[in-house]
């Protein structure tokens, strides 16, 4: 009689990962760096989306023009850069 193969569930790898996870193992430096990267990408990405949206709205509105859109988008990008650029880091 042939041996039956060992039973493996389809979630075996995920179950192993869930059991191997230990809460609180990320170092504070790694967590701070991840949060700082996320905040930086969020703020600069939002500025880029807002500038492009303003460009498109001013360009494609009735009576609008490409140059009006470029000017508005550029003004918003420059003003946003001055407002969003890094200041003094917060002391904890």
């Amino acid at each position: 009689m042939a041996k039956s193969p060992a039973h493996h569930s389809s979630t075996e790898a995920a179950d192993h990962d869930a059991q191997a996870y230990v809460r609180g193992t990320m170092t504070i430096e790694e967590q701070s760096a991840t949060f700082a990267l996320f905040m930086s990408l969020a703020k600069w990405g939002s500025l880029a989306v807002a500038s492009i949206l303003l460009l498109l709205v001013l360009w494609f509105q009735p009576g609008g023009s490409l140059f009006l859109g470029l000017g508005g988008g550029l003004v918003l990008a420059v003003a946003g850069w001055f407002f969003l650029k890094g200041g003094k880091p917060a002391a904890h």
Side-chain angles (χ1 to χ4, degrees), residues 5 8 10 13-14 18 24-25 31 35 40-41 48-49 54 56 58 69 71-72 76 85 88:
H8 296 289
S10 61
T25 57
Q31 185 177 10
F35 181 74
S40 179
L41 290 175
V49 168
L54 182 62
L56 293 173
L58 293 177
L76 179 63
K85 67 180 179 177
K88 298 178 193 173

Side-chain angles (χ1 to χ4, degrees), residues 28-85:
I28 192 67
E29 292 82 14
E30 185 178 2
Q31 185 177 10
S32 296
T34 302
F35 181 74
L37 176 64
F38 171 78
M39 291 303 293
S40 179
L41 290 175
K43 74 178 181 180
W44 294 114
S46 297
L47 178 61
V49 168
S51 297
I52 291 171
L53 186 61
L54 182 62
L55 168 105
L56 293 173
V57 166
L58 293 177
W59 185 5
F60 290 116
Q61 72 176 352
S65 70
L66 172 63
F67 297 113
L68 180 64
L70 285 172
L74 184 63
V75 167
L76 179 63
V78 169
W81 182 79
F82 279 110
F83 284 113
L84 294 178
K85 67 180 179 177

Side-chain angles (χ1 to χ4, degrees), residues 11-31:
T11 61
E12 182 178 357
D15 293 339
H16 173 71
D17 289 343
Q19 293 167 357
Y21 175 72
V22 178
R23 183 178 177 169
T25 57
M26 181 185 277
T27 63
I28 192 67
E29 292 82 14
E30 185 178 2
Q31 185 177 10

